[in-house]
Amino acid sequence: MLAYIGRRLLLVVPTLLGIMIINFVIVQAAPGGPVEQMLAQVKGTAVDATARISGDGGDAVASSQESAQGNSQGPSSEYRGSRGLEPELIRDIEKLYGFDKPPFERFLKMMGDYVRFDFGDSFFRDQSVVSLVLEKMPVSISLGLWTTILVYLISIPLGIKKAVRDGSSFDVWTSAVVIIGYAIPGFLFAILLVVLFAGGSFLDWFPLRGLVSENFDSLSWWQKITDYLWHMTLPVIAMVVGGFASLTMLTKNSFLDEINKQYVLTAKAKGLAENQVLYGHVFRNAMLIVVAGFPSAFVGILFTGSLLIEVIFSLDGLGLLSFEAAINRDYPVMFGTLFFFTLLGLLMNIIGDIMYMLIDPRIDFERQAN
């Protein structure tokens, strides 16, 4: 096992590097980078933009902006929106964002900083990337944790019962519910919940904004718990509906596959009760893939499944942060979060494999690799 884990850990490095290179190339090729964003602000709101640059240490940019207020058009530039601005101003903005260096050198510097877990500061927020992530993390963890727990609590018993009663009317109508849950995107169901229960067109039972109320600090501890759960109800329901379908069918198929095996028939022939056979013999083998997949499932729900839910319910979490960073071309936030969460995802996959081996010692990935 140790040799296999060691090889997997070594593979993390080239995999992470490849993902970062691909994303870096794609982002560099996309128009509308941070320099162009700032040039647009300089031309549109010169006073505010100049003050912003000067506040970040670009005093020379401010003086260049003053000289750019005339009618001089200056030489052509590779940036859109640079017409009419002094070349010195453009060079100062490039230096401010590190674009005075070639892409290869910028990438090497970025990866060198990331290896030391130095993710830098946001281009457009007066905060470090780490502080931004820590600030948004409670919202995403709340959504991801509650969603994962409820999905497993619903899907596993439902999947087992569907397997035991395969072909019955219960299996048929629950399959219809599962298909509907799988077919309807979570964000559409979230909009429906808002319309029905959050003051849309019918009832006004639940809040529409934030993780807690504005007077949260003045509440007693039990009122804080109630207030928190009150705000989390609709977003979590919307995410659970979109996530329980696949796990339910995976659980059902896993149990069906085990129920039809010879050892189950032998156990039944010995006179064991159905529950003894189901939970004493079948459960461990059938739940292997479900339980071992928990780490990667949690990471997927936590970091990729909540963007639109956060937008709809005005929850300021990691999904919304990533979306805003992509729109604003906030490269430190984009690449810093990509590096950290990709690394986390790769490590979670390794933890998932270790859980496979711990749950069922018969599984030997090292022997299979050979």
Side-chain angles (χ1 to χ4, degrees):
M1 179 189 290
L2 292 178
Y4 171 77
I5 295 174
R7 286 198 300 269
R8 287 292 304 273
L9 288 174
L10 290 176
L11 284 174
V12 167
V13 176
T15 303
L16 181 60
L17 183 62
I19 292 173
M20 295 299 296
I21 290 175
I22 293 172
N23 283 273
F24 185 84
V25 171
I26 293 174
V27 170
Q28 295 300 312
V35 174
E36 291 176 332
Q37 297 259 354
M38 183 56 70
L39 289 175
Q41 292 188 33
V42 169
K43 294 190 71 175
T45 55
V47 175
D48 292 342
T50 303
R52 183 181 195 174
I53 299 173
S54 301
D56 288 333
D59 293 333
V61 182
S63 60
S64 299
Q65 171 62 25
E66 293 174 359
S67 64
Q69 299 303 312
N71 294 324
S72 173
Q73 298 298 311
S76 62
S77 172
E78 61 178 307
Y79 301 109
R80 294 187 305 173
S82 61
R83 185 176 178 82
L85 297 178
E86 288 290 329
E88 184 180 350
L89 171 65
I90 298 175
R91 287 194 296 268
D92 287 332
I93 294 177
E94 287 179 330
K95 185 176 181 180
L96 176 66
Y97 293 124
F99 276 69
D100 56 330
K101 301 179 178 63
F104 180 72
E105 186 176 342
R106 295 203 307 270
F107 180 78
L108 290 181
K109 181 181 183 304
M110 180 183 73
M111 293 305 298
D113 292 338
Y114 288 177
V115 168
R116 301 192 301 271
F117 289 94
D118 178 9
F119 297 106
D121 299 323
S122 168
F123 281 163
F124 303 109
R125 300 175 187 235
D126 190 21
Q127 284 182 267
S128 67
V129 174
V130 173
S131 65
L132 276 172
V133 171
L134 292 178
E135 178 183 321
K136 314 300 182 184
M137 188 75 80
V139 174
S140 294
I141 288 181
S142 295
L143 285 173
L145 185 60
W146 286 116
T147 300
T148 305
I149 291 174
L150 290 176
V151 163
Y152 270 75
L153 289 177
I154 294 172
S155 300
I156 292 176
L158 181 59
I160 293 174
K161 192 167 185 178
K162 284 175 64 64
V164 173
R165 302 179 60 177
D166 183 41
S168 66
S169 58
F170 172 83
D171 182 40
V172 172
W173 71 261
T174 52
S175 294
V177 174
V178 169
I179 292 172
I180 293 173
Y182 186 79
I184 299 178
F187 73 91
L188 286 181
F189 194 77
I191 295 174
L192 177 62
L193 291 176
V194 170
V195 172
L196 293 178
F197 302 111
S201 300
F202 296 92
L203 304 174
D204 190 9
W205 289 353
F206 295 95
L208 186 57
R209 300 182 60 85
L211 190 64
V212 294
S213 300
E214 294 182 357
N215 63 336
F216 182 78
D217 292 334
S218 63
L219 300 177
S220 61
W221 66 269
W222 65 270
Q223 288 176 324
K224 288 182 178 179
I225 295 175
T226 303
D227 182 75
Y228 166 76
L229 295 176
W230 184 44
H231 281 77
M232 291 298 299
T233 299
L234 294 187
V236 170
I237 289 176
M239 293 186 67
V240 167
V241 168
F244 85 101
S246 58
L247 184 59
T248 299
M249 298 310 298
L250 176 63
T251 304
K252 176 190 175 182
N253 293 333
S254 297
F255 270 79
L256 280 177
D257 185 54
E258 292 295 325
I259 287 173
N260 295 323
K261 288 185 177 180
Q262 184 61 43
Y263 76 91
V264 177
L265 299 177
T266 302
K268 289 181 178 179
K270 291 181 179 180
L272 294 179
E274 183 177 352
N275 285 340
Q276 288 180 297
V277 176
L278 187 62
Y279 295 103
H281 294 76
V282 177
F283 187 83
R284 176 177 176 179
N285 295 329
M287 290 302 298
L288 174 63
I289 189 173
V290 177
V291 175
F294 179 84
S296 58
F298 175 69
V299 172
I301 293 174
L302 180 61
F303 301 120
T304 62
S306 61
L307 168 59
L308 293 176
I309 301 298
E310 290 181 10
V311 173
I312 292 171
F313 291 100
S314 301
L315 298 172
D316 195 8
L318 293 174
L320 190 58
L321 174 66
S322 300
F323 175 75
E324 291 176 347
I327 294 297
N328 296 325
R329 300 298 195 272
D330 197 344
Y331 288 174
V333 176
M334 290 174 59
F335 290 115
T337 54
L338 174 67
F339 177 89
F340 177 76
F341 296 131
T342 301
L343 177 62
L344 181 62
L346 293 172
L347 294 178
M348 283 297 181
N349 285 333
I350 297 176
I351 293 175
D353 288 346
I354 295 174
M355 291 184 66
Y356 272 113
M357 291 183 283
L358 293 177
I359 294 173
D360 191 347
R362 295 172 299 176
I363 295 179
D364 189 350
F365 288 111
E366 185 174 354
R367 184 176 58 190
Q368 292 176 5
N370 295 329

